[in-house]
């Protein structure tokens, strides 16, 4: 059975996947992004995927990064992961944070309340805009993935929605010894996400070469 | 300058130091206590301190456990750490969870809203009941410690109060790959604790031999 998987989602020790106040200049809000995501940029896999940096580690961190790239046939993203535009799309000029040739190289389903035509990009990525909910997005993504797994790219709010619905099969969070104090939570009591996680998931740790601890969640059978 | 220190406080990855529903039988509420605190019982230091178990590890976990026992001249505990009794003390029959000879062997200041005479125990421990707040308890504890440090033993609510007041100098949390879903939080947005931590503390990780990651907080100068 194809799976829905979350990978390489960095969170601060106090539980935030992004700081407050996302803007065009700060896709992850007010946060030391080098610190939050630095472990990825240190890996050889990260350098290959992002096409920049001097990463050359090939240990656990690299293994964890590469695990997120294997067997993926489609992606799902929340709208804020796709961009900082809010409300109805004023035009089609915003095409994601990732330039003309995004590194997805497959169909990417963007959850939004506002319809928009599919946006083909160079290198095989097409952004599809889904307005009828997370279940529909998952169904469309599994169909597009054609037997491969689907990767859920975030942000935190969308991951929480899929966790609460019991639809995430595996999740890898990279826990960073960083305190953010505010922002987008993965572990949220108020909306029932922590309760849903505790009820249905097991968790184990793997320590990376960098400062992070990798937390691996699997849904109980 | 003597310090106020928190040590060996185990928290689940989703941020809880104890489960819900503390009772006499469940001092840490509904939680797999062997999983939450098992790393301590695995250490040689833990076995020596608690007088039970088969712990014999002498690596990082043991070092982290022993660090909490060094240079401590007095303790501060919240009332729920002292026991499950709520409201005015019906009598002096409850003398803590730890038997006739608690392993503190020094003055222990218990925060409570209800006055009670000091309770001397065997082995040099005396429980003092402080009704005029966390500042007063800290002042009394520093006086009793006579130049040594004071250890803040929890629970989570009391630790949060001292963190928000900027009075904790060092804190060691043992992060366990466990999901509780509910209970007593260390990282709390609503009461301003996460914000206070992010503003004033640095954090780093050390990986133990067991499944835990030790998170070490120090207050910035």
């Amino acid at each position: 059975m194809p799976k829905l998987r979350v990978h390489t989602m960095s969170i601060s020790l106090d539980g935030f996947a992004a700081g407050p106040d996302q803007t065009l200049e700060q896709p992850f809000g007010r946060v030391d992004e080098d610190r939050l995501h630095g472990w990825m940029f240190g890996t050889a896999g990260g350098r290959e995927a992002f096409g920049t940096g001097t990463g050359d580690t090939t240990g656990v961190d690299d293994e964890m990064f590469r695990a997120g790239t294997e067997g993926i046939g489609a992606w799902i993203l929340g709208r804020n992961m796709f961009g900082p535009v809010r409300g109805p799309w004023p035009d089609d000029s915003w095409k994601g944070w990732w330039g003309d040739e995004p590194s997805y190289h497959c169909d990417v389903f963007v959850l939004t309340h506002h319809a928009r035509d599919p946006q083909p990009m160079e290198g095989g990525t097409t952004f599809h805009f889904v307005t009828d909910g997370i279940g529909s997005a998952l169904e469309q993504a599994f169909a597009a993935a054609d037997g491969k797994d689907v990767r859920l790219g975030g942000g935190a709010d969308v991951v929480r929605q899929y966790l609460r619905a019991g639809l995430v099969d595996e999740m890898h969070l990279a826990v960073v010894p960083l305190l953010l104090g505010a922002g987008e939570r993965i572990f949220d009591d108020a909306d029932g996400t922590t309760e849903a996680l505790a009820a249905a998931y097991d968790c184990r740790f793997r320590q990376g070469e960098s400062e992070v601890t990798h937390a691996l969640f699997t849904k109980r059978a």
Side-chain angles (χ1 to χ4, degrees), chain A:
Chain A
M1 283 282 289
K3 291 176 175 170
L4 179 62
R5 293 155 42 189
V6 175
H7 287 271
T8 68
M9 190 150 193
S10 296
I11 63 165
S12 64
L13 179 57
D14 54 350
F16 299 102
D21 304 329
Q22 184 195 42
T23 64
L24 182 58
E25 292 74 29
Q26 302 179 130
F28 286 90
R30 274 190 288 111
V31 57
D32 180 347
E33 221 211 301
D34 287 344
R35 186 88 191 275
L36 190 61
H37 296 115
W39 71 271
M40 277 197 292
F41 299 113
T43 65
R47 178 172 42 75
E48 288 167 26
F50 303 122
T52 60
T54 56
D56 59 4
T57 67
T58 55
V60 171
D61 288 335
D62 188 55
E63 193 183 314
M64 295 307 304
F65 180 83
R66 289 180 195 271
T69 66
E70 286 156 16
I72 300 296
W75 283 65
I76 296 172
L77 300 180
R79 180 172 176 170
N80 296 357
M81 278 296 287
F82 179 68
V85 182
R86 300 291 184 270
W89 303 99
D91 53 44
D92 291 348
S93 60
W94 180 264
K95 296 172 184 176
W97 306 100
W98 310 278
D100 293 334
E101 188 175 344
S103 59
Y104 297 105
H105 308 298
C106 62
D107 288 307
V108 177
F109 296 85
V110 178
L111 288 156
T112 168
H113 294 291
H114 302 279
R116 177 173 161 182
D117 288 335
Q119 177 65 60
M121 307 292 290
E122 291 172 30
T125 298
T126 298
F127 294 113
H128 304 268
F129 300 89
V130 180
T131 56
D132 51 352
I134 63 169
S136 169
L138 185 57
E139 202 172 298
Q140 294 180 56
F142 274 136
D146 195 22
K148 289 188 174 180
D149 290 346
V150 172
R151 182 160 162 185
L152 178 57
D157 176 60
V158 169
V159 171
R160 288 204 311 272
Q161 289 181 48
Y162 278 101
L163 286 170
R164 287 199 302 278
L167 294 171
V168 175
D169 296 290
E170 296 175 6
M171 178 166 72
H172 159 220
L173 304 180
V175 187
V176 183
L178 178 67
L179 301 165
L180 290 180
E184 283 288 317
R185 274 205 171 283
I186 285 290
F187 304 121
D188 195 304
D189 311 341
D191 70 5
T193 304
T194 47
E195 203 178 344
L197 270 167
Y201 290 82
D202 291 318
C203 178
R204 65 187 181 89
F205 283 167
R206 281 189 78 184
Q207 180 75 353
E209 296 75 30
S210 67
E211 63 176 1
V212 306
T213 292
H214 301 285
L216 306 174
F217 298 73
T218 45
K219 197 160 74 166
R220 284 188 213 110

